[in-house]
């Protein structure tokens, strides 16, 4: 696989025009932004670990995109990517994150006490609650670019940190490459197991190299706190449980994350974070909080209402099927989560989900009773 | 995508054991050969274009292989790969090509007049005849490693060369990215169209980057001579026609190839060739002649005979289904071709096919009449 420093220098023997990708059939954020002038300016640059412009954009060149779904089309290979290639990534970030400017500051708030309510979503409608985010460990390259040595170091550090968790967070690590058949089956039944990526978006960026080396799943004994190691990001952290007590889910999420962060710091490793981009992750779409908080909720009547899409938009929420992104809803059950990631804090985003879902359930009950929901329509948040 | 000089130097911060791939579950030629010692010795090297050891082996690390099919598990990124990483490639080549030693010389013979017979294979049995090979253009990196600028330069040179052919070779180029629907339909109907690779073996080596940029198909008006540009190799050259006149197919193959080579030489870009490895191609399995000469032949009775496999081995032939490698035969029709690539010349390999298929058709006819074939079983060639 090419695009390192030596080959990048060799490519300089060709003009920028000769190397500039053909983006005429493309519809993704990178293709909207990358002009041939920008390509000319950035093509001789590299980050300290050797990630180049062609590395950043390869996934977007190889995957023209979809007329309806706007993919990002570029990834970071290390923390410095967002700085060295800011001419490309700043406009991508602005377009993707609702006008977020290069001078804007992002607020991090992982104090669950700042969340209001959230413990009383009606479990007759809200079937399950979940919060996930990602974390990158400073000093290591990101999944598109890291070597086996780096990936294994991340795994070692992560497993050490996770193994020292106690109480409700006490758990066990299952390395993908030496899982027993029973362990694998159990993890599948629990809906915890992640597989080698098949999405061409991920494969084209190099994230699946050396699979399944140094990849694994850790979860606590209660099966309410789960960490994926070396999948799309260094760490993906998930808190979840049945029912509608989002407050508890979020509290566990914050406590767990903060504890893990403390354990990493004890070993002189921090998470990648800065006051402009918040938590730095592989995909620009996950910058800021990297947080997706959501519920599986029954909304058979509301989802058929003509105002459903508009209501979601005003509440800054998005819908997905219960199989995850790009799946269809089954039996009127939807995955409803925050649409934003950057420019709002964790507490603010979870508050939107809590308040928004509360309102959606109220609307559903009204429609069940044959009543109107007009007076419940919210303002744009 | 990483692995250039800067990132390769970065990786040297990690110890050999930390970077050495886990090959415990692997069954491919690379995994059989690559020891920790070889990895330690080669890991800080790079070719002049910046291709590194990890680049060479990535496809074999990502694709452990199959218990029954021995894949190669390594690729070249440029001509120099075979020299810089000879400590890995030489034993792989020896194992794959029947004991071919690092000091052996390979003979090239593209003089079709040296072929004996081959114009009289019975068309009641031999349905079609085909010869294919690959060629790499000196001075450019190979498909796993080349940049868009290089790939486009290869396309431009190739199209210029092919468009200057005349007589039986006069033809037209169809670039993948600007094909009309009608052209696409026709090429599919002719069985000429190649698609973006889906095999994980190819994808993991980086060959599908920037698809379909600078890829295309050229064929002559008679549809008997076809060239693929920038698929698995810079050029794949195919001569084919219905029936059993392999002599004619091979004549056209040799004449066409020689003409194309002359035109490239005039532009100071000959084909990659040396007296040890013959024609240098992306996959070590195609070194030497890169030639697969074969027929589609009806052998319903012989294929059920207990000695079928042994006969093929003795004749230095291999069987495939008519859908290509790894497909099953349909209706007793097999694709029979030479098993060897390196260590014997083009004429010798096609001679094996011509003589071998002739013998097998004789055997089939005997079996049809209920006669024994024991007296016809050949000695090991």
């Amino acid at each position: 696989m090419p695009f390192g420093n030596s080959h990048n220098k060799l490519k300089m023997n060709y003009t920028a025009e000769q190397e500039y990708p053909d983006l005429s059939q493309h519809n993704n954020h990178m293709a909207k932004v990358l002009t041939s002038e920008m390509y000319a300016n950035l093509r001789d640059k590299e980050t300290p670990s050797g990630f180049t412009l062609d590395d950043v954009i390869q996934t977007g060149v190889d995957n023209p995109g979809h007329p309806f779904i706007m993919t990002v089309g570029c990834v970071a290979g290390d923390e410095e990517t967002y700085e060295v290639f800011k001419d490309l990534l700043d406009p991508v970030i602005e377009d993707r994150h609702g006008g977020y400017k290069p001078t804007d500051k992002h607020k991090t708030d992982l104090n669950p006490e700042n969340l209001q309510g959230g413990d009383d979503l009606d479990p007759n409608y809200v079937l399950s609650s979940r919060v996930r985010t990602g974390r990158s460990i400073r000093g290591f390259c990101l999944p598109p670019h890291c070597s086996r040595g780096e990936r294994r170091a991340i795994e070692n550090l992560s497993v050490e940190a996770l193994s020292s968790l106690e109480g409700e967070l006490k758990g066990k690590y299952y390395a993908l490459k030496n899982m027993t058949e029973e362990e694998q089956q159990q993890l599948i039944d629990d809906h915890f197991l992640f597989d080698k990526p098949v999405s061409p978006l991920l494969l084209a960026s190099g994230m699946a190299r050396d699979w399944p080396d140094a990849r694994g799943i850790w979860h606590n004994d209660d099966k309410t706190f789960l960490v994926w190691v070396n999948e799309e990001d260094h760490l993906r952290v998930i808190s979840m449980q049945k029912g509608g007590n989002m407050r508890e889910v979020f509290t566990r999420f914050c406590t767990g994350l903060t504890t893990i962060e403390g354990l990493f710091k004890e070993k002189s490793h921090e998470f990648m974070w800065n006051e402009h981009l918040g938590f730095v992750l592989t995909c620009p779409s996950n910058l800021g909080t990297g947080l997706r908080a959501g519920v599986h909720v029954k909304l058979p009547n509301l989802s058929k209402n003509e105002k459903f899409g508009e209501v979601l938009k005003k509440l800054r929420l998005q819908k997905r099927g219960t199989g995850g992104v790009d799946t269809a809803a089954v039996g009127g059950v939807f995955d409803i989560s925050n649409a934003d990631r950057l420019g709002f804090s964790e507490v603010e985003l979870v508050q939107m989900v809590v308040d928004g879902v509360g309102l959606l359930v109220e609307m559903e009950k009204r429609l069940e009773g044959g009543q109107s929901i007009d007076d419940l329509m919210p303002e744009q948040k | 995508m990483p692995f250039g000089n800067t990132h390769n130097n970065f990786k040297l911060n990690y110890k050999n054991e930390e970077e050495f791939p886990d090959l415990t579950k692997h069954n491919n030629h690379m995994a059989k050969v690559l020891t920790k010692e070889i990895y330690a010795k080669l890991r800080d090297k790079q070719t002049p274009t910046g291709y590194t050891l990890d680049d060479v082996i990535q496809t074999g690390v990502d694709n452990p292989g199959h218990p029954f099919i021995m894949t190669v598990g390594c690729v070249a990124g440029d001509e120099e790969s075979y020299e810089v990483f000879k400590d890995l490639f030489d034993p792989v080549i020896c194992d794959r090509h029947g004991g071919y030693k690092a000091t052996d010389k390979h003979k090239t013979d593209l003089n079709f007049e040296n072929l004996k017979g081959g114009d009289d294979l019975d068309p009641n049995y031999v349905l079609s005849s085909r010869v294919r090979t690959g060629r790499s253009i000196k001075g450019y990196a190979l498909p796993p490693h080349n940049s868009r600028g290089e790939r486009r330069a290869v396309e431009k040179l190739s199209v210029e060369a092919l468009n200057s052919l005349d007589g039986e070779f006069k033809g037209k180029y169809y670039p993948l990215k600007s094909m009309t629907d009608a052209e696409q339909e026709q090429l599919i109907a002719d069985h000429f169209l190649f698609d973006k690779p889906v095999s994980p073996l190819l994808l993991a080596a980086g060959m599908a980057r920037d698809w379909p940029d600078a890829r295309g198909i050229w064929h002559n008006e008679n549809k008997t001579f076809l060239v693929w540009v920038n698929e698995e190799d810079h050029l794949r050259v195919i001569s084919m026609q219905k029936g059993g006149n392999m002599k004619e197919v091979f004549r056209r193959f040799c004449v066409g190839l020689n003409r194309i080579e002359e035109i490239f030489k005039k532009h100071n870009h000959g084909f990659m060739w040396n007296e040890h490895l013959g024609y240098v191609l992306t996959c070590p399995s195609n070194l030497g002649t890169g030639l697969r000469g074969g027929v589609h032949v009806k052998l319903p009775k012989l294929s059920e005979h207990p000695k079928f496999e042994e006969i093929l081995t003795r004749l230095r032939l291999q069987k495939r289904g008519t859908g290509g490698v790894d497909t099953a035969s349909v209706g007793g029709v097999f694709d029979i071709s030479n098993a060897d690539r390196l260590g014997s010349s083009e004429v010798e390999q096609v001679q094996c096919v011509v003589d071998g298929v002739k013998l097998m058709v004789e055997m089939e006819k005997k079996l049809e009449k209920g006669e024994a074939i024991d007296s016809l079983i050949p000695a090991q060639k």
Side-chain angles (χ1 to χ4, degrees):
Chain A
M1 235 81 86
F3 311 127
N5 180 251
S6 289
H7 195 233
N8 208 45
K9 291 197 162 52
L10 196 84
K11 280 186 279 182
M12 301 304 293
N13 291 330
Y14 290 82
T15 65
E17 229 167 63
Q18 286 167 326
E19 289 292 349
Y20 181 68
D22 178 350
L23 301 172
S24 51
Q25 314 288 333
H26 288 59
N27 184 46
N28 57 53
H29 284 292
M30 178 278 291
K32 280 175 77 180
V33 166
L34 185 71
T35 59
S36 48
E37 291 74 31
M38 195 184 281
Y39 187 81
N41 285 336
L42 295 178
R43 72 185 195 119
D44 62 346
K45 313 250 177 301
E46 60 165 6
T47 66
S49 73
F51 207 61
T52 65
L53 178 64
D54 277 338
D55 291 325
V56 173
I57 67 172
Q58 189 67 56
T59 180
V61 174
D62 288 350
N63 295 287
H66 196 272
F68 307 144
I69 301 165
M70 185 66 118
T71 45
V72 177
C74 50
V75 289
D78 51 24
E79 192 165 9
E80 295 82 353
T81 302
Y82 287 102
E83 189 54 44
V84 173
F85 300 107
K86 65 195 329 302
D87 288 351
L88 169 68
L89 293 171
D90 279 351
V92 166
I93 288 166
E94 187 162 348
D95 205 11
R96 178 63 173 211
H97 293 281
Y100 193 78
K101 296 191 296 299
T103 48
D104 284 339
K105 300 272 178 275
H106 172 82
K107 189 172 69 177
T108 294
D109 183 358
L110 281 160
N111 184 350
E113 316 239 307
N114 291 340
L115 183 71
Q116 274 146 36
D119 54 356
D120 60 353
L121 295 171
D122 188 339
N124 292 311
Y125 293 82
V126 179
L127 307 177
S128 61
S129 307
R130 180 184 187 266
V131 180
R132 69 88 160 149
T133 189
R135 290 293 185 262
S136 309
I137 304 170
R138 185 159 271 164
F140 295 96
C141 292
L142 297 172
H145 192 47
C146 63
S147 69
R148 283 180 294 274
E150 287 182 293
R151 208 185 292 111
R152 290 163 178 173
I154 290 161
E155 185 190 36
N156 283 339
L157 268 174
S158 304
V159 172
E160 264 189 68
L162 294 166
S163 303
S164 57
L165 292 173
E166 301 171 329
E168 66 158 339
L169 298 175
K170 189 167 172 350
K172 183 178 166 183
Y173 182 68
Y174 302 86
L176 247 57
K177 73 175 173 180
N178 29 16
M179 216 172 263
T180 67
E181 296 270 331
E182 290 94 20
E183 286 169 342
Q184 186 170 303
Q185 195 53 58
Q186 187 59 58
L187 287 166
I188 289 172
D189 295 340
D190 292 327
H191 304 286
F192 283 174
L193 187 65
F194 65 89
D195 240 331
K196 178 172 178 176
V198 294
S199 162
L201 302 173
L202 298 181
L203 294 178
S205 69
M207 289 189 217
R209 288 169 301 116
D210 313 314
W211 203 274
D213 198 304
R215 273 84 166 190
I217 293 161
W218 180 97
H219 69 78
N220 65 351
D221 296 336
D222 295 339
K223 298 187 183 179
T224 53
F225 193 74
L226 168 66
V227 179
W228 288 352
V229 178
N230 286 318
E231 197 239 7
E232 280 186 52
D233 282 292
H234 289 165
L235 301 173
R236 282 286 175 99
V237 178
I238 302 154
S239 169
M240 59 205 268
Q241 67 193 47
K242 296 262 183 242
N245 193 345
M246 182 59 94
R247 187 180 190 80
E248 189 167 81
V249 170
F250 186 57
T251 303
R252 184 187 311 115
F253 175 82
C254 295
T255 306
L257 262 178
T258 312
T259 310
I260 293 170
E261 185 162 17
L263 292 165
F264 272 100
K265 282 193 170 145
E266 266 169 40
K267 299 191 194 304
S268 306
H269 286 283
E270 335 170 272
F271 293 148
M272 292 183 195
W273 181 92
N274 65 60
E275 61 174 6
H276 167 51
L277 296 178
F279 288 102
V280 175
L281 295 175
T282 305
C283 182
S285 70
N286 280 321
L287 291 166
T289 60
L291 184 142
R292 193 170 91 84
V295 298
H296 284 187
V297 56
K298 287 193 218 173
L299 301 170
N301 291 295
L302 180 59
S303 57
K304 296 204 183 91
N305 188 285
E306 54 178 8
K307 295 219 187 267
F308 185 44
E310 193 190 326
V311 170
L312 287 174
K313 216 155 180 250
K314 295 208 166 162
L315 295 174
R316 307 192 76 88
L317 299 177
Q318 63 172 208
K319 73 181 196 301
R320 301 180 181 193
T322 51
V325 67
D326 285 354
T327 61
V330 176
V333 181
F334 285 81
D335 176 318
I336 302 290
S337 64
N338 53 294
D340 302 299
R341 303 274 184 274
L342 176 64
F344 298 91
S345 75
E346 289 81 355
V347 167
E348 284 168 343
L349 294 177
V350 178
Q351 194 70 64
M352 285 180 208
V353 175
V354 158
D355 297 346
V357 170
L359 180 63
L360 294 174
V361 170
E362 236 192 287
M363 288 177 162
E364 179 68 22
K365 287 173 174 173
R366 285 270 190 109
L367 292 170
E368 266 174 37
Q371 295 162 346
S372 150
I373 54 169
D374 292 345
D375 60 305
L376 291 178
M377 290 296 291
E379 294 295 308
Q380 177 65 53
K381 285 191 163 288
Chain B
M1 234 81 84
F3 311 126
N5 178 253
T6 301
H7 194 230
N8 207 44
N9 288 341
F10 198 68
K11 280 186 277 179
L12 296 177
N13 292 328
Y14 288 82
K15 300 201 294 274
N16 194 55
E17 292 77 56
E18 287 165 340
E19 289 292 350
F20 185 71
D22 179 348
L23 301 173
T24 48
K25 307 225 165 45
H26 287 59
N27 185 45
N28 57 52
H29 284 293
M30 179 279 291
K32 280 176 77 182
V33 165
L34 184 69
T35 59
K36 287 209 173 88
E37 291 70 32
I38 294 178
Y39 190 81
K41 190 172 172 202
L42 297 179
R43 66 189 268 227
D44 63 348
K45 312 255 178 296
Q46 56 166 350
T47 67
T49 67
Y51 207 61
T52 65
L53 179 64
D54 277 338
D55 291 327
V56 171
I57 67 172
Q58 190 66 56
T59 181
V61 175
D62 288 350
N63 296 287
H66 197 272
F68 308 144
I69 300 165
M70 186 65 120
T71 45
V72 178
C74 51
V75 288
D78 51 23
E79 191 166 11
E80 295 82 354
S81 296
Y82 287 105
E83 189 55 42
V84 173
F85 302 108
K86 63 194 332 301
D87 289 348
L88 171 68
F89 278 116
D90 281 350
V92 166
I93 288 166
C94 190
D95 205 12
R96 179 62 174 212
H97 292 282
Y100 194 78
K101 297 191 295 299
T103 48
D104 283 339
K105 300 273 178 273
H106 172 82
K107 189 171 68 177
T108 293
D109 183 359
L110 280 160
N111 185 348
F112 63 90
E113 313 223 311
N114 291 339
L115 184 71
K116 300 204 222 336
D119 54 354
D120 61 351
L121 296 172
D122 188 339
N124 292 312
Y125 293 82
V126 180
L127 308 177
S128 60
S129 308
R130 180 185 186 266
V131 180
R132 69 88 159 149
T133 190
R135 289 293 185 263
S136 309
I137 303 169
K138 221 170 162 64
Y140 295 98
L142 296 173
H145 191 44
N146 56 12
S147 69
R148 284 179 294 273
E150 286 183 295
R151 207 184 293 112
R152 290 163 178 172
V154 164
E155 183 191 37
K156 196 154 182 281
L157 263 175
S158 304
V159 173
E160 266 189 61
L162 295 165
N163 283 345
S164 64
L165 295 174
D166 58 9
E168 60 167 327
F169 295 108
K170 192 166 175 346
K172 187 178 165 182
Y173 182 66
Y174 302 86
L176 250 55
K177 72 175 175 180
S178 43
M179 215 172 263
T180 65
D181 279 350
E183 286 168 343
Q184 186 168 303
E185 294 281 329
Q186 187 59 57
L187 287 166
I188 290 172
D190 292 327
H191 304 286
F192 283 174
L193 187 65
F194 66 90
D195 240 331
K196 179 171 177 176
V198 294
S199 161
L201 301 172
L202 299 181
L203 294 177
M207 289 189 216
R209 287 169 302 118
D210 314 312
W211 202 276
D213 198 305
R215 273 85 167 188
I217 293 161
W218 180 96
H219 69 77
N220 66 351
E221 284 164 16
N222 299 335
K223 297 186 182 179
T224 53
F225 193 75
L226 167 67
V227 178
W228 288 352
V229 178
N230 286 319
E231 196 239 8
E232 279 187 51
D233 282 291
H234 288 164
L235 302 174
R236 281 286 175 98
V237 177
I238 302 153
S239 169
M240 59 204 268
Q241 67 194 48
K242 296 261 183 243
N245 194 345
M246 183 59 95
K247 191 179 187 70
E248 173 64 13
V249 169
F250 188 56
R251 182 205 64 79
R252 186 185 313 113
F253 176 82
C254 294
V255 172
L257 261 178
N258 284 332
R259 290 225 189 134
I260 294 168
E261 183 160 18
E262 269 170 47
I263 301 171
F264 272 102
K265 276 186 177 154
K266 276 203 204 128
H267 290 126
N268 291 322
H269 285 283
F271 293 147
M272 290 183 196
W273 181 94
N274 65 60
E275 60 174 9
H276 168 51
L277 295 178
Y279 287 101
V280 174
L281 295 175
T282 304
C283 183
S285 69
N286 280 321
L287 291 166
T289 61
L291 185 143
R292 195 170 90 84
V295 299
H296 284 187
V297 56
K298 286 193 218 172
L299 301 170
K301 296 204 150 29
L302 182 60
S303 58
E304 290 185 353
H305 194 282
K307 293 208 193 264
F308 184 46
E309 298 285 345
E310 194 189 325
I311 290 165
L312 286 171
T313 303
R314 289 187 181 201
L315 293 174
R316 307 195 76 84
L317 299 176
Q318 66 172 208
K319 74 180 195 302
R320 302 179 183 195
T322 51
V325 67
D326 283 356
T327 61
S329 85
V330 176
V333 181
F334 285 81
D335 176 318
I336 303 289
S337 63
N338 53 297
D340 303 308
R341 303 273 184 275
L342 178 63
S344 47
S345 74
E346 289 82 354
V347 166
E348 284 166 343
Q349 289 167 8
V350 177
Q351 194 70 65
C352 279
V353 175
V354 158
D355 297 346
V357 169
K358 192 162 186 185
L359 180 63
M360 292 200 294
V361 169
E362 246 190 274
M363 289 176 164
E364 180 70 21
K365 288 173 171 172
K366 278 231 176 174
L367 291 171
E368 271 174 28
K369 290 191 265 184
E371 292 167 12
I373 55 167
D374 295 341
S375 61
L376 293 178
I377 305 239
Q380 176 66 54
K381 284 190 164 285

